[in-house]
Amino acid sequence: MRSITHCPSCQTQFFVTEEQLNKHHGQVRCGQCLHVFDAREQFVPLDEASDASNTPAPINTAQTAEPATTSFDTAELKAKFASSSYTSNGNVFIVDDQPYNPDNPPPKATKKSTIKPLSGKSSNVLKPLFALVLLLAAILQSIYFLRNDIAIYYPSIKPYLVKICQPLTCSIDLPKKIELIVIDDSDMQEDKTYAGLMRLSSTLINQASFNQAFPNVEVTLTDVEDKPKLRRIFKPNEYLPEHTDIANGIAAGEEIKIKLAITTGDIAVAGYRVFVTY
């Protein structure tokens, strides 16, 4: 059954069905002025469906065109409410949820951003990559601290290590394994020409299978009770022959003959000791 209701704002009259009113609790929107109202409270008896001057008021149905009193563009209306929950009945729009209030429009939906954790696939890729970086860092660190030993056992790599060390302000030093430097055939005699001058002759042997840095030679003169009376340390440039390339060190298995002169002055000496140190 259809009833006639009218908009309390613009007085336009419309046909509505009971099914439509029950579905939306009687709430409708005027297709003329867009005013929302309760259709049940604005029912018009069929015999009074006219204005005060007895001029028939336009009654709109779902099949009729727009009200004669307006040139409202229904296509514009549909576009305007495309994002809202409305159903239309001719020029009456039934409100599905809450009445529309132009002074207090519903809040716009806000887009929420979320931070998603790394997927299992990405995590599986990063783990071996991170492990590889750690492994490379450990290898480079080991090369840096063991560069001297690497140069000993892999002499062909030494030139590359030297180049790497240049920007890092490090150096590749010769090995200093003092236990592999042996003193052999040592002898000390008093000079026959100069009183108080002792002459030491000895041999240094590098028993290592690689070059080593030349050691310092420490000579200690003792008295008859074997107590130290004089001590002197000779550096490589003091006991080696001129033009010796000290930077290359003493070669593997090489023997170096040394001769040293020590002035004792008035101190009486009866013995001596010879050591090699770094």
Side-chain angles (χ1 to χ4, degrees):
M1 177 179 177
R2 295 194 300 176
S3 301
I4 299 175
T5 187
H6 79 285
C7 174
S9 177
C10 66
Q11 306 304 318
T12 303
Q13 297 180 357
F14 306 95
F15 279 120
V16 292
T17 66
E18 189 66 25
E19 181 182 357
Q20 293 171 333
L21 296 178
N22 290 338
K23 183 178 179 181
H24 304 288
H25 309 290
Q27 297 293 315
V28 298
R29 179 179 298 281
C30 176
Q32 170 69 17
C33 65
L34 304 182
H35 179 68
V36 176
F37 61 96
D38 191 337
R40 289 193 178 95
E41 295 181 357
Q42 305 299 330
F43 278 162
V44 178
L46 293 178
D47 57 349
E48 296 180 5
S50 62
D51 57 16
S53 62
N54 295 324
T55 302
I59 300 176
N60 300 292
T61 68
Q63 293 76 26
T64 62
E66 297 172 355
T69 59
T70 182
S71 59
F72 192 86
D73 187 350
T74 55
E76 179 183 353
L77 181 63
K78 291 179 181 179
K80 184 173 182 179
F81 294 97
S83 60
S84 303
S85 299
Y86 299 105
T87 58
S88 65
N89 175 27
N91 287 80
V92 178
F93 286 81
I94 309 302
V95 183
D96 286 347
D97 297 311
Q98 297 295 327
Y100 176 80
N101 185 350
D103 297 328
N104 186 22
K108 295 183 179 179
T110 57
K111 185 177 180 180
K112 296 182 179 179
S113 61
T114 57
I115 300 176
K116 295 183 179 180
L118 288 174
S119 63
K121 185 176 180 180
S122 300
S123 179
N124 291 337
V125 172
L126 291 177
K127 284 181 179 179
L129 181 60
F130 183 68
L132 180 60
V133 172
L134 290 180
L135 178 61
L136 290 175
I139 292 174
L140 293 175
Q141 187 178 34
S142 299
I143 292 175
Y144 178 80
F145 288 108
L146 299 176
R147 62 187 184 277
N148 293 328
D149 292 332
I150 293 174
I152 292 172
Y153 298 105
Y154 303 96
S156 60
I157 300 179
K158 183 177 179 180
Y160 301 102
L161 295 175
V162 172
K163 290 182 179 179
I164 294 173
C165 273
Q166 287 177 354
L168 299 178
T169 64
C170 62
S171 60
I172 306 299
D173 299 324
L174 288 170
K176 296 179 179 180
K177 298 185 180 296
I178 197 65
E179 68 275 9
L180 298 179
I181 300 293
V182 176
I183 300 173
D184 188 39
D185 193 21
S186 178
D187 182 52
M188 178 173 283
Q189 298 290 335
E190 185 176 1
D191 191 280
K192 296 179 180 179
T193 305
Y194 300 99
L197 180 63
M198 309 296 294
R199 296 188 178 276
L200 173 68
S201 61
S202 185
T203 303
L204 300 182
I205 304 174
N206 179 18
Q207 293 184 335
S209 59
F210 42 81
N211 288 17
Q212 293 209 82
F214 285 104
N216 297 325
V217 177
E218 179 181 314
V219 179
T220 302
L221 301 180
T222 60
D223 58 14
V224 292
E225 296 180 356
D226 199 31
K227 293 181 179 180
K229 304 300 291 184
L230 293 172
R231 180 179 289 119
R232 169 107 183 257
I233 295 177
F234 296 88
K235 294 183 178 180
N237 61 335
E238 294 178 298
Y239 66 79
L240 290 172
E242 260 187 277
H243 309 300
T244 301
D245 191 351
I246 298 176
N248 284 336
I250 180 171
E254 184 179 6
E255 296 184 5
I256 300 295
K257 300 290 184 178
I258 61 174
K259 292 183 178 181
L260 300 173
I262 305 172
T263 302
T264 61
D266 296 333
I267 300 176
V269 296
Y272 69 97
R273 303 172 192 159
V274 182
F275 299 95
V276 286
T277 63
Y278 282 117

